[in-house]
Amino acid sequence: MSNDRFIEAIKDLFRINLGVRKEERVLVFTDEIMPEERITPEDRNRRGRLKDLARLVAEVGKGLCKEVVYTEYKALMSHGAEPPEKVWRRAFGEKTVKALKELKVMKALIDKKAGDEQIRKAEDIISKYRKNTIDVVVGLSNYSTSHTRFRDFITRAAGARYASMPLFDPDMLFGAMTVDWRDLERRTKDLAGKVNKALRIEVSTPNGTELSFSKEGRKTGSDTGILRKPGSFGNLPAGEVYLAPLEGTSEGKLIVEWAPTHRLKYTVDLTVRKGKVVEVEGRDSYRSVLEKKLSENDNFRNIAELGIGTNDKATRPDNILESEKILGTIHIALGDNSSFGGKIRTPFHQDFIFFRPTLRLVYHNKKEAVILKDGRLRSL
């Protein structure tokens, strides 16, 4: 594939999705493979291409805005972990980070141990120095920064636009990224409006997955890929409706057939009680990987998110960034949900994809509506 096609696709990302203007400053970052990471040759190759793409995005961006700030850092080896201090410096500016350190909240923020009062003080500082903050962020790290306080602060408190692109594969520029963005926006917002009215949600799939939970008091979000307004945030590729189930209310069983970047040989079965995974079973080697991770912190077991895919150009099931956007799928995440309405702050957020779901909404008046039936979206 010619380099010219990549360049034009990247320009579309800057112009169409992010609406970058000539006077703006853009931060592009990626992460480097750590020596202790045990990954397949295929994944190593993908990570190399991701890093190359990040450098190309930064280079192309130089001709479209005032300044591109590019940085690489050592991989944090967990989705939802806070990026290191040097990324905060490049994003918020030296004065902001200095003030955060003087208040002794910087380390607590990065460790995801900041209390409500510390978070409030940090927000005040970031708002005070927001003129020093970068205008746009393109996050091309392998490990996701979506569910971090860094991302929350820079969009909500400082008004920057943020494209989170973890696990991104350059081929996505010519697949899921070719969606009709206006059509996607309409479909996603219409579906979010319907889901938002529900009190309770029940999902099931042909492989035996069954989960129910309360969404009382929780707002439903829309990831449309149009990130042109101040404070906009979303994935690219985009296309999902998402929410944080009310903690302690999820009950059921998750039959996992796909890890984030590959299909499992055998299913891994997760039993969910009172909002958390209480048992992990299965013969696949991924069972021990997940079990080990969940044993690190009880909050990692939290049922953090339900998402519904809305992108009709998304097709590949072997990369969770794209698979969770496939029209008619659902994904369920474990761990952190603090950046989109939940109460769990923890350095872990992992999504799992489920195909051919049936999704039932239960409303306050006890009426019900099936909006997905065997993976097919009902008429809105």
Side-chain angles (χ1 to χ4, degrees), residues 160-213:
R161 287 113 62 205
Y162 200 115
S164 181
M165 303 167 70
L167 300 169
F168 193 86
D169 190 298
D171 290 343
M172 293 177 187
L173 291 169
F174 310 103
M177 289 288 289
T178 65
V179 70
D180 182 321
W181 294 107
R182 287 187 179 182
D183 186 50
L184 178 69
E185 183 177 34
R186 178 202 60 78
R187 181 188 306 124
T188 305
K189 287 186 174 180
D190 286 352
L191 181 59
K194 181 168 284 192
V195 173
N196 202 44
K197 295 175 183 177
L199 175 67
R200 189 168 187 82
I201 296 178
E202 300 170 356
V203 297
S204 62
T205 68
N207 75 355
T209 290
E210 291 187 354
L211 190 74
S212 63
F213 59 84

Side-chain angles (χ1 to χ4, degrees), residues 191 194-202 215 308 359-363 367-371:
L191 181 59
K194 181 168 284 192
V195 173
N196 202 44
K197 295 175 183 177
L199 175 67
R200 189 168 187 82
I201 296 178
E202 300 170 356
K215 71 165 290 295
I308 307 168
L359 192 151
R360 185 185 306 275
L361 304 178
V362 182
Y363 297 101
K367 287 186 177 181
E368 299 181 357
V370 175
I371 59 168

Side-chain angles (χ1 to χ4, degrees), residues 53 69 93 100 109 114 169 186 250-251 256 303 314 321 332:
L53 178 66
V69 179
L100 291 172
L109 289 170
D169 190 298
R186 178 202 60 78
S250 297
E251 298 281 343
V256 177
I303 300 299
L321 176 64
I332 295 167

Side-chain angles (χ1 to χ4, degrees), residues 32-39 44 47 74-75 77:
E32 304 171 0
I33 299 173
M34 295 290 284
E36 59 267 36
E37 290 189 72
R38 301 175 72 178
I39 58 177
R44 187 172 294 275
R47 299 266 298 265
K74 294 178 181 178
M77 300 176 64

Side-chain angles (χ1 to χ4, degrees), residues 200 210-213 246-254 269-281 298 301-303 334:
R200 189 168 187 82
E210 291 187 354
L211 190 74
S212 63
F213 59 84
L246 189 64
E247 292 82 6
T249 66
S250 297
E251 298 281 343
K253 199 164 188 93
L254 305 178
D269 304 347
L270 312 181
T271 301
V272 178
R273 295 193 190 117
K274 296 183 179 180
K276 291 186 175 181
V277 174
V278 296
E279 192 171 9
V280 182
E281 301 174 286
D298 192 56
R301 299 175 179 272
N302 176 55
I303 300 299
L334 309 180

